[in-house]
């Protein structure tokens, strides 16, 4: 299992592996938002938590089809399926690799980008917490979506259509945490819900994704 | 037509949209059903013209 | 006489063919009758004015929009566990119907909210939950269309339906939290069921039952088409191989 994880991490970090792309996209989206909304500081401060969360979510979304696509194309997914490693574990490792190479960097980049959007100082801690707790759910659900659409030629858009509704609760709670934190309010309740959601996603996803992979590998 | 007062446009458009969508759904279902039935009969004929 | 007999396509076709005219006729009578009753023969509400007439569409559509998804959940489970094709096809057939009902619920909900909110759309948790449900319908239907192999499509969409249900339900509660803390308190709830006077309730229930029959009729009808389409596909594949 560790071997698979290290292999996936190496593949992602390698040139062309898409490691920096998620971060770059996050940056671009965050910069683009004020262009669309207007530079007024008051407004930006209000919408900063939401923009950062949506930017992170979209950046996650973009890198989802890579989770299984490469292995599907060169046949290694079939090999993994027939290996002694249970497919559920494979899905779990893949999700973990995705989070480490996409989710975690987003968490690290968020405070920097939050400065651009005039996020109030008290909101930074809560922002990081919300993303740290919520991005695992994004990776887990995204892995499920990727498993459903693996092998489809233009799967990218369909993947987004399938995964974005699943992302709604995570986004709702995550952005709520960031918003309350930025407003100086206590955000523990939504954070707790968010954590519960992530745990649920992590618990359910390996089985659902493995089931989908088995169907697609038939 | 009952007097719908100041909400006449809203109420009427609500009913109109609903009718449109329902009729559209029924029409699409019927169209697809007829098409599939026709193609199925043709395929069955090709397979076994005496049937 | 077990319900599983209808898992046999031939038996399903025979029975649904016999039932369909009656169900459709009932649906037409109840829906048209109920709507005419509600539109022409009921008074206005002192608060909402004539927009109260929208409930005769909105409430039945909303009820059926979510019931449809629940029906899809059950039939998807039956497919996954017992592998009855009729079940999978029934879920596929029901999706567009549920989607249209949800859409009607959304549009009429927004219109009904107008006198209360002053705008065409408000992120009311209940209405927004329907918007999310609408998106789930779209994704489900798109997945059916995207997968070539029908059995694979049935399996994948069934799993999606399961996972989707969990998250749709969670969304419902998350939305309540998002817009109104955890308290439903002073919400401008769209729940007309609370104190609906008889003069409104009777035509309303007529419409609800009518929409139910309409749903059943459409799903029976569309499932028949799907069963035929499946047979057609099998025949064409056999032709290609010969």
């Amino acid at each position: 299992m560790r071997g698979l994880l290290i292999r996936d991490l190496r593949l992602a970090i390698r040139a062309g592996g898409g490691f920096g792309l998620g971060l770059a996209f996050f940056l671009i989206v965050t910069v683009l938002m004020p262009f669309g909304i207007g530079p007024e500081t008051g407004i930006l401060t209000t919408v900063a938590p939401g923009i950062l969360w949506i930017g992170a979510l979209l950046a996650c979304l973009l890198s989802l089809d890579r989770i299984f696509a490469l292995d599907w194309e060169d046949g290694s997914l079939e090999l993994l399926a027939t290996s002694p490693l249970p497919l559920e574990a494979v899905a779990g490792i893949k999700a973990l690799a995705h989070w480490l190479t996409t989710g975690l960097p987003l968490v690290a980049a968020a405070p920097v980008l939050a400065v651009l959007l005039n996020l109030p100082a008290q909101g930074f801690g809560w922002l990081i917490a919300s993303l740290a707790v919520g991005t695992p759910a994004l990776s887990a659900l995204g892995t499920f979506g990727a498993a459903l659409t693996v092998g489809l030629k233009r799967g990218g858009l369909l993947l987004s259509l399938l995964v974005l509704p699943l992302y709604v609760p995570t986004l709702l709670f995550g952005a709520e945490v960031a918003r309350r934190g930025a407003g100086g309010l206590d955000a523990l309740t939504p954070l707790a819900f968010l954590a519960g959601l992530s745990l649920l996603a992590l618990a359910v996803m390996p089985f659902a994704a493995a089931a989908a992979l088995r169907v697609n590998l038939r | 037509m009952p007097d719908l007062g100041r909400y006449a446009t809203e109420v009427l458009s609500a009913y109109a949209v609903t009718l449109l969508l329902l009729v559209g759904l029924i029409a699409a279902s019927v169209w697809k059903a007829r098409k599939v039935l026709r193609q199925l009969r043709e395929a069955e004929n090709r397979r076994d013209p005496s049937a | 006489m077990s319900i599983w007999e209808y898992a046999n396509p031939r038996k399903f076709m025979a029975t649904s063919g016999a039932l369909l005219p009656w169900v459709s006729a009932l649906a037409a009578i109840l829906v048209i009758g109920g709507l005419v009753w509600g539109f022409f023969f009921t008074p206005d509400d002192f608060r909402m004015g004539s927009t109260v007439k929208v409930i005769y569409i909105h409430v039945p559509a909303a009820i059926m929009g979510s019931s449809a998804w629940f029906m899809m959940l059950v039939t998807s489970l039956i497919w996954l566990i017992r592998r009855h094709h009729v079940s999978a096809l029934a879920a596929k057939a029901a999706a567009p119907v549920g989607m249209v009902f949800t859409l009607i619920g959304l549009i009429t909900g927004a219109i009904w909210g107008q006198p209360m909110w002053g705008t065409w759309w408000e992120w009311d948790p209940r209405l927004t939950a329907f918007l999310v449900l609408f998106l789930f319908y779209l994704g489900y239907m798109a997945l059916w269309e995207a997968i070539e192999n029908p059995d694979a499509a049935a399996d994948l969409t069934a799993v999606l339906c399961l996972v989707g249900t969990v998250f749709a339900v969670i969304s419902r509660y998350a939305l309540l939290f998002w817009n109104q803390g955890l308290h439903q308190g002073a919400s401008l709830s769209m729940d007309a069921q609370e104190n609906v006077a008889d003069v409104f309730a009777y035509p309303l229930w007529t419409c609800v039952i009518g929409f139910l029959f309409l749903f059943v009729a459409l799903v029976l009808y569309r499932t028949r088409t799907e069963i035929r389409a499946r047979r057609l596909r099998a025949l064409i594949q056999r032709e290609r191989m010969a």
Side-chain angles (χ1 to χ4, degrees):
Chain A
M1 269 176 36
R2 201 181 311 140
L4 180 59
L5 179 62
I6 293 178
R7 166 185 169 266
D8 273 5
L9 290 177
R10 273 216 203 99
L11 277 174
I13 296 177
R14 212 183 47 183
F19 174 56
L21 278 177
L23 274 180
F25 183 78
F26 193 23
L27 171 67
I28 293 174
V29 165
T30 311
V31 168
L32 240 50
M33 289 290 185
F35 294 160
I37 296 174
E40 200 181 308
T41 316
I43 298 182
L44 287 179
T45 309
T46 317
V47 298
I51 292 178
L52 288 162
W53 249 96
I54 292 180
L57 187 151
L58 291 176
C60 259
L61 196 62
L62 277 197
S63 50
L64 287 178
D65 54 5
R66 319 191 94 261
I67 296 181
F68 293 117
L70 298 165
D71 284 346
W72 171 269
E73 276 158 24
D74 63 12
S76 25
L77 196 57
E78 288 188 34
L79 281 174
L80 281 172
T82 50
S83 75
L85 208 56
L87 212 47
E88 285 79 0
V90 173
I93 300 283
K94 291 277 185 188
L96 180 60
H98 178 264
W99 183 69
L100 288 173
T101 55
T102 306
L104 209 48
L106 290 175
V107 175
V112 176
L113 295 175
V115 172
L116 286 175
L117 296 174
N118 305 118
L119 188 74
Q122 59 209 2
F124 277 74
W126 288 108
L127 175 71
I128 296 173
S130 69
L131 284 173
V133 171
T135 41
L138 299 182
S139 289
L141 291 169
T143 305
F144 169 61
L148 281 177
T149 56
V150 72
L152 288 179
K153 295 221 176 48
R154 294 268 161 20
L157 275 176
L158 177 64
L159 181 54
S160 311
L161 180 57
L162 295 178
V163 166
L164 282 175
L166 294 175
Y167 276 176
V168 165
T170 308
L171 175 61
L172 284 174
F173 283 124
E176 183 71 20
V177 172
R179 250 196 315 275
R180 288 197 187 182
L185 303 165
D186 173 52
L188 269 177
T189 319
L191 190 61
F193 278 120
L194 187 63
L197 205 48
S198 278
L199 287 172
L200 175 69
L202 288 168
V204 165
M205 181 280 307
F207 300 98
L213 284 175
R214 281 195 197 98
V215 173
N216 277 313
L217 284 170
R218 277 211 288 253
Chain B
M1 185 67 62
D3 174 27
L4 295 169
R6 56 200 193 108
Y7 294 118
T9 3
E10 285 86 345
V11 177
L12 286 173
S13 44
Y15 274 77
V17 165
T18 303
L19 246 58
L20 212 76
L21 284 171
L22 285 179
V23 166
L25 176 63
I26 296 173
S29 305
V30 170
W31 185 78
K32 184 176 180 193
R34 293 230 177 106
K35 185 174 94 152
V36 167
L37 191 55
R38 183 175 41 87
Q39 287 175 340
L40 184 60
R41 296 273 182 267
E42 284 169 9
E44 278 175 344
N45 258 343
R46 285 197 297 273
R47 191 166 103 95
D48 186 5
S50 60
Chain C
M1 177 81 149
S2 149
I3 193 174
W4 297 117
E5 285 191 19
Y6 299 101
N8 177 325
R10 209 161 292 167
K11 178 115 179 118
F12 179 85
M13 292 299 281
T15 315
S16 62
L19 278 176
L20 208 44
W22 298 102
V23 178
S24 314
L26 258 173
I29 293 172
L30 288 170
V31 169
I32 296 175
L35 287 179
V36 164
W37 185 0
F39 188 79
F40 290 105
F41 299 109
T42 58
D44 289 353
D45 177 83
F46 76 94
R47 218 177 6 132
M48 295 183 272
S50 59
T51 60
V52 71
K53 293 184 188 299
V54 174
I55 63 167
Y56 304 115
I57 309 174
H58 172 76
V59 172
I63 292 178
M64 286 323 301
S66 24
S67 305
W69 185 270
F70 180 69
M71 171 250 170
M72 283 159 57
L73 175 66
V74 171
T75 45
S76 295
L77 275 168
I78 294 176
W79 159 249
L80 285 175
I81 298 174
R82 296 191 62 144
R83 314 303 281 180
H84 293 313
H85 285 106
V86 172
S87 206
L89 294 175
K92 180 182 184 192
V97 185
M99 186 204 77
V100 168
F101 279 136
T102 305
L103 184 59
I104 292 177
L106 277 173
I107 296 177
T108 54
I111 292 175
W112 190 29
Q114 231 272 341
M116 287 198 260
W117 301 324
T119 58
W120 285 108
W121 184 265
E122 268 279 338
W123 292 91
D124 169 73
R126 210 125 191 272
L127 210 53
T128 312
F130 273 102
L131 186 55
V132 173
L133 181 62
F134 181 71
L135 294 176
F136 274 108
Y137 273 117
L138 288 183
Y140 178 86
M141 286 163 55
L143 190 56
W144 261 111
E145 295 304 312
I147 310 281
E148 280 269 335
N149 180 295
D151 279 4
D155 282 326
L156 292 174
T157 51
V159 176
L160 178 66
C161 189
L162 257 63
V163 175
T165 305
V166 173
F167 283 87
V169 170
I170 296 178
S171 296
R172 173 84 187 86
Y173 291 101
L175 282 166
L176 274 172
F177 188 86
W178 170 69
N179 201 350
Q180 277 155 243
L182 281 171
H183 310 292
Q184 262 186 293
S187 70
L188 291 171
S189 167
M190 303 292 268
D191 232 320
Q193 254 88 37
E194 296 154 3
N195 285 312
V196 186
D198 278 353
V199 69
F200 299 122
Y202 289 136
L204 181 58
W205 279 112
T206 311
C207 289
V208 169
I209 299 176
F211 269 61
L212 175 61
F213 274 100
L214 179 60
F215 173 73
V216 172
L218 278 167
V219 172
L220 284 178
Y221 186 70
R222 295 183 65 95
T223 308
R224 290 165 62 82
T225 306
E226 293 296 338
I227 293 176
R228 290 197 177 120
R230 188 161 183 271
R231 173 152 172 75
L232 174 65
R233 199 196 146 89
L235 285 179
I236 290 182
Q237 277 195 323
R238 223 177 286 172
E239 278 176 16
R240 288 220 189 100
M241 292 198 295

